[in-house]
Amino acid sequence: MALTLDALALQGDPGTLQTEQQAADLKLMTPRELYLLWERQHWASQDIDFSKDKEDWKKLSGHEKDQAIWGMAAFYIGEERVTTQFSGLVMSYDDEDEASFLATQQVDEARHMQFFDRFHREVMELDGELLTARLNEMRRHVNGAFVTLFDEVLRDAERRLVANPRDIEAKVDFVTVYHMIIEGTLALTGQNFMTEYYERENILPGFVEGFKKVARDEHRHVAYGTWYLKETAGKNPALAARMRSTLIELLPVTAGVLIPLGQDPEGDWTFIGGYGAEEVNEFAFQCLTRRLKAIGVPLQAEAIPA
């Protein structure tokens, strides 16, 4: 189920395009259009065939398993975090079309969590009768930057939105953290390199199939976040400054999440599959930059003529 950049762009995500100008020219999809797209893109986490994955997993070396476990843990726990910390945004809808789309996103995130749980349970043979027990076991494989972003920053943003769903500053903060940073900068970067590596090695085909479907969902989510921020921060200088400040503050933490456990954050660390730090960071930053171009809020504020 390989998706071309053009196909992804049709889902309204400018981060998939080749140039900033293409991103700026892309017509963003509305929440209603994204909801209708969701109806056409149903899939079930329980339908993925993991039979070859089980064989492949047993053949992986210890180092390959360690790399995979780190990457799987980040996504598994990350999907749980974004599923359970999403209610505030659902409550903040401005009209029925937005409410419909946001409800689909929370369902998507739960489906992603169930997909990763199946892989951990059936392929990795992780013990534990309950999903919660498996999640707790995998927490020891994530780094401190992950904990800061998902357990502190995201949770705080969601709490403020739950306290006042009509607080537009809290909503801009949440969408910036969730859609631009967690999904747009982290998740889609990890998905890009992990699926490319496993496809190149011709292993874990079930995981690759499901992960591509997860990625398709995430691009649809990021398209919503891009649309929302263009409609708010893209038209309001104060909200633009707030969004920019949040991004600049969190980019160092975001970069830290991508560094595998045990590798030197100050050195030339490598991602799963041997991808270097420079290549991974460049991919993530370019995708973010193109989304910001579409929104109209670049990381560096333009100088105001005297």
Side-chain angles (χ1 to χ4, degrees):
M1 198 207 73
L3 289 174
T4 65
L5 292 179
D6 287 343
L8 290 170
L10 291 175
Q11 299 196 148
D13 180 6
T16 64
L17 296 172
Q18 297 294 337
T19 69
E20 289 186 23
Q21 189 57 53
Q22 287 177 326
D25 294 340
L26 180 67
K27 182 182 182 298
L28 300 180
M29 297 179 74
T30 65
R32 174 171 173 74
E33 291 171 323
L34 291 167
Y35 170 80
L36 295 175
L37 185 61
W38 174 82
E39 283 199 352
R40 298 194 295 271
Q41 294 181 335
H42 276 304
W43 63 282
S45 65
Q46 304 305 305
D47 289 345
I48 304 297
D49 181 4
F50 284 142
S51 56
K52 186 174 184 299
D53 296 60
K54 295 175 184 178
E55 298 174 7
D56 291 343
W57 184 260
K58 294 175 182 177
K59 297 175 184 177
L60 294 180
S61 68
H63 175 67
E64 289 171 328
K65 283 184 178 179
D66 287 344
Q67 281 193 317
I69 287 170
W70 170 77
M72 305 291 183
F75 276 98
Y76 185 26
I77 298 167
E79 295 294 358
E80 181 275 330
R81 292 285 76 197
V82 296
T83 301
T84 57
Q85 304 300 314
F86 197 75
S87 297
L89 188 61
V90 176
M91 294 165 58
S92 75
Y93 70 91
D94 291 319
D95 60 35
E96 285 70 21
D97 282 329
E98 188 180 13
S100 295
F101 173 75
L102 292 175
T104 71
Q105 182 169 343
Q106 191 161 31
V107 170
D108 282 344
E109 305 298 8
R111 174 170 56 192
H112 301 170
M113 177 176 63
Q114 293 294 336
F115 165 72
F116 281 102
D117 185 61
R118 266 199 71 208
F119 189 88
H120 280 74
R121 187 177 70 250
E122 298 179 17
V123 178
M124 297 168 61
E125 298 182 338
L126 189 66
D127 293 332
E129 294 183 7
L130 300 177
L131 188 154
T132 301
R134 288 186 289 276
L135 284 166
N136 289 336
E137 170 63 21
M138 295 306 290
R139 270 194 164 271
R140 62 192 179 92
H141 297 288
V142 298
N143 62 28
F146 180 99
V147 173
T148 296
L149 184 60
F150 284 83
D151 290 350
E152 299 174 17
V153 176
L154 178 63
R155 178 173 287 185
D156 178 67
E158 202 255 352
R159 284 174 175 169
R160 287 187 289 117
L161 202 48
V162 168
N164 183 5
R166 294 294 89 205
D167 184 345
I168 191 170
E169 291 184 345
K171 188 172 180 179
V172 166
D173 289 349
F174 185 90
V175 174
T176 299
V177 172
Y178 193 115
H179 294 80
M180 290 299 105
I181 293 177
I182 290 177
E183 286 194 317
T185 306
L186 284 176
L188 290 173
T189 295
Q191 287 160 348
N192 175 76
F193 289 104
M194 287 174 69
T195 54
E196 182 178 286
Y197 169 60
Y198 291 134
E199 280 190 308
R200 186 181 74 210
E201 297 299 310
N202 194 29
I203 57 175
L204 305 180
F207 176 79
V208 169
E209 177 191 351
F211 212 16
K212 285 185 174 181
K213 291 178 178 179
V214 169
R216 185 179 63 185
D217 291 344
E218 302 288 11
H219 281 290
R220 193 170 58 245
H221 304 165
V222 172
Y224 160 79
T226 305
W227 169 86
Y228 176 77
L229 291 172
K230 183 175 183 177
E231 293 297 306
T232 52
K235 298 178 180 180
N236 183 312
L239 292 176
R242 186 180 187 92
M243 175 186 163
R244 184 179 296 111
S245 176
T246 299
L247 288 168
I248 292 172
E249 177 185 353
L250 292 178
L251 279 178
V253 179
T254 305
V257 175
L258 291 168
I259 304 172
L261 279 177
Q263 297 204 37
D264 181 6
E266 303 299 326
D268 188 20
W269 52 267
T270 57
F271 195 71
I272 294 172
Y275 300 100
E278 183 176 355
E279 182 179 6
V280 173
N281 286 327
E282 181 180 5
F283 178 90
F285 188 74
Q286 282 186 349
C287 291
L288 174 62
T289 299
R290 286 162 193 163
R291 293 180 183 112
L292 297 182
K293 184 72 173 180
I295 293 167
V297 182
L299 273 179
Q300 185 172 355
E302 297 178 2
I304 300 175

